[in-house]
Structure formats: C-alpha cells, structure tokens
Amino acid sequence: MFTAATQARTAILRNLETIDYKLSPDAWKVLKMGIKRDLQAQVLRPNVPVPPRRELLKYLGVMKRETGSLRKAIGSLFHDGAWTSSGGSFRLAEELGFDIVTEAERLIAANGGFRYLEIGGAWAGLKGDTTSQPRDIAGLARRFEDVLGRRVFLHFTNLTKWHSALPAGVMEHPFVTAAGLSIVERQSVPRNSVDIIYSQAAAYFETDPSSFMNAAGSLLRDGGLMIFNHQPQFTDEIARCAQKHGMSLLKSHVMGGMNGIVVAFGKTTESKSEAVTEIVAANDMRETERRRAI
C-alpha cells in the first residue's frame, strides 16, 4: 500500500502541475489522507459497514472476511485512519428528489445522447449488485448497454486507479482531485458537454471549492444538472462561483454530519429556464409520491 500511495501522490501532483494548480500545505495533508482512504477502501467490497477499531472483535471479524486472512486483518489495525468501504450510489440525488436514470432517459430522447461525470466514483458500483434497479453508475451502464460508447458516455474520477478494464463508454479518470477536475478536459471530456455532474463524498472533502466549481461550470453543458454535497462554511463561496458560470440553485438540503449540505444546481440560459423549472416540478411530484408510499 505504501508503494501505491507514493505512485498516486506522484501522479496527482503531475496532473495538478499540468493545469498549473498549486496545493497548499494543508490541502496536501488532507489529500494524502484521502489517498490512503482510497487505497484502504479498495481492499473491501462495495458498501461494507466497517466497525470502529475500538470494537475489536467485530472489527477483526469483518476485516478477516474482507481480506481473506487473519494476518491481513490484524495488519489493518496499524494503518492510519478509519477503514471505509466505497460503493457509490445516487442517494444524495434521491434525497433531493432527482432520479438520475429518468433524467438520462429524458436527455437521450431530447438530445440523442447523454454524458455523465461522477467525482470520486471509486468502485463506481461496477462490482456491486447487478440485479437491483439502477441506483449507481453501474446501473446506468446496464440500463443503456445498447448505446453505451455511442450515445451514452459515463465518466468518473478517483484519487487512485481502481479498474484495469471497463465496458466501452465507461471511463475512469484516476489521480484526479475535485479541485483539479479541469484535467479531464484533456482526457476526452469536452468543455460544455456534460449533462450531469454528481459527487456523493469527494466534493465534500475538497478544501478549494472555487477551483472545483470553476472546472465543473466549464464542463457542464447549458441545461445541465450538478448535484453534490459540501461543508457548510463554503456555502457563500460556492454560490458566487455558481453564479459566475450561470448556474442557479435548484434545491438544497442540510443533512449534517459527513453529508453536510446537499445541493442541486442547474446551468441555464433564459431560453431553457422554463424547461428546467418543469424538470424540478416533475422531480418534486415524484418525491412527494415516493414519501407518501413510504
């Protein structure tokens, strides 16, 4: 894991240098911790709840099952930071009443294509449940398999490299931070081409939200949707950057804890604002019906 962490740090710094981005010492410290979390999460299956170390027996039981040996489980005790599983889902979008799959279907019907970008996709759901309803990027890949790589393109970033092979039309962008998101413009994601930008956790840990928002605002197409969560102290900064790129706040919800504030922004011109209003209204109706069913 030490070698992989060193390689990831080197690759990330190289990408940031390419876009002339300088990390502060504090940001570098946070980023190094993120890389370690990323590598630790690769050891686990998606969406595995890992008990804290203080619950020693439970912790060792889970880690033995996940790593395949008691020796590795005991060794995991000596790694810094909490072991966390990845998995990725559209839970935050659902919290705001947005159905990503429905949005994708609408955009394909209207525009003939769809491009999705997830920040910090990790497993990207590609090793998760393949029988359930689409609730992650893997679900999108299955739902649009017939047009994947031709009319539907799915991208996701990671701090480390998770996948050696992916389906055509599904692209991982490793060694990319939220602040360094603009590097993906040099990696087959054209400016003003992304329909939906989504992040469930990576943007929350970003210490430079302006750089992240500026890159996302350039990548997002007119009429596009951006959903992510952030720390409360960055609310005003994020609002200013959104306004700069013609993005309006559609919805927000304070979840607290490590989920922070969940927000949805829409990028619109006057000619498309009515259509976006209709989308939000339709999502509100679906969310009301869902809550009534519960």
Side-chain angles (χ1 to χ4, degrees), residues 38 41-42 44-48 84-94 100 116 118-130 132-140 142 155-158 162-163 198-202 229 259:
D38 222 47
Q42 289 187 30
L44 310 175
R45 291 172 300 153
N47 301 311
V48 174
T84 57
S85 174
S86 182
S89 74
F90 298 150
R91 184 174 65 88
L92 294 186
E94 293 164 357
I100 299 292
Y116 171 85
E118 184 163 336
I119 316 305
W123 284 120
L126 296 173
K127 292 192 177 183
D129 183 6
T130 60
S132 62
Q133 288 293 103
R135 294 188 67 234
D136 53 32
I137 194 171
L140 289 179
R142 294 193 303 273
H155 303 262
F156 61 99
T157 71
N158 278 320
W162 288 63
H163 301 271
Y198 180 76
S199 176
Q200 178 128 316
N229 56 341
N259 288 308

Side-chain angles (χ1 to χ4, degrees), residues 59-289:
Y59 173 85
L60 290 175
V62 169
M63 294 304 293
K64 179 183 177 183
R65 184 190 68 209
E66 295 300 313
T67 61
S69 79
L70 181 59
R71 181 181 62 81
K72 291 181 180 179
I74 294 173
S76 71
L77 288 168
F78 300 97
H79 287 277
D80 294 337
W83 283 77
T84 57
S85 174
S86 182
S89 74
F90 298 150
R91 184 174 65 88
L92 294 186
E94 293 164 357
E95 188 70 28
L96 295 182
F98 288 91
D99 185 327
I100 299 292
V101 178
T102 298
E103 291 301 307
E105 291 172 340
R106 178 186 64 81
L107 289 162
I108 292 170
N111 304 327
F114 172 71
R115 190 182 296 273
Y116 171 85
L117 171 61
E118 184 163 336
I119 316 305
W123 284 120
L126 296 173
K127 292 192 177 183
D129 183 6
T130 60
T131 61
S132 62
Q133 288 293 103
R135 294 188 67 234
D136 53 32
I137 194 171
L140 289 179
R142 294 193 303 273
R143 172 64 180 81
F144 303 112
E145 183 178 7
D146 292 344
V147 291
L148 199 59
R150 293 186 291 113
R151 290 196 290 154
V152 173
F153 300 90
L154 310 176
H155 303 262
F156 61 99
T157 71
N158 278 320
L159 294 180
T160 61
K161 185 174 177 60
W162 288 63
H163 301 271
S164 58
L166 289 166
V170 182
M171 288 147 278
E172 179 181 29
H173 301 267
F175 315 119
V176 175
T177 68
L181 184 62
S182 63
I183 191 69
V184 302
E185 285 191 37
R186 303 168 184 248
Q187 301 174 351
S188 74
V189 185
R191 183 171 294 193
N192 301 314
S193 73
V194 182
D195 294 285
I196 294 178
I197 295 177
Y198 180 76
S199 176
Q200 178 128 316
Y204 176 86
F205 291 104
E206 181 52 59
T207 58
D208 186 353
S210 291
S211 182
F212 166 60
M213 289 294 292
N214 288 334
S218 295
L219 290 166
L220 197 65
R221 73 167 181 82
D222 187 30
L225 175 67
M226 181 177 176
I227 298 174
F228 63 101
N229 56 341
H230 65 83
Q231 298 177 45
Q233 65 266 32
F234 295 133
T235 298
D236 292 343
E237 186 176 350
I238 286 171
R240 287 192 295 270
C241 291
Q243 184 178 29
K244 171 184 172 183
H245 290 277
M247 294 190 289
S248 301
L249 181 65
L250 305 178
K251 279 190 172 185
S252 68
H253 177 57
V254 178
M255 292 186 68
M258 297 296 285
N259 288 308
I261 301 175
V262 186
V263 292
F265 286 95
K267 185 177 181 180
T268 61
T269 59
E270 286 187 20
S271 63
K272 294 194 176 183
S273 61
E274 184 176 339
V276 171
T277 301
E278 292 176 356
I279 293 167
V280 174
N283 285 328
D284 286 343
M285 186 176 296
R286 282 197 297 269
E287 178 64 8
T288 299
E289 292 173 351

Side-chain angles (χ1 to χ4, degrees), residues 19-83:
I19 60 174
D20 196 28
Y21 183 89
K22 300 293 190 299
L23 276 171
S24 70
D26 287 343
W28 180 232
K29 182 178 180 180
V30 171
L31 182 56
K32 287 193 290 186
M33 291 176 61
I35 291 169
K36 181 161 287 188
R37 284 196 305 268
D38 222 47
L39 291 170
Q40 289 174 343
Q42 289 187 30
V43 176
L44 310 175
R45 291 172 300 153
N47 301 311
V48 174
V50 181
R53 287 179 171 88
R54 65 177 178 274
E55 299 177 16
L56 185 60
L57 294 180
K58 288 183 179 180
Y59 173 85
L60 290 175
V62 169
M63 294 304 293
K64 179 183 177 183
R65 184 190 68 209
E66 295 300 313
T67 61
S69 79
L70 181 59
R71 181 181 62 81
K72 291 181 180 179
I74 294 173
S76 71
L77 288 168
F78 300 97
H79 287 277
D80 294 337
W83 283 77

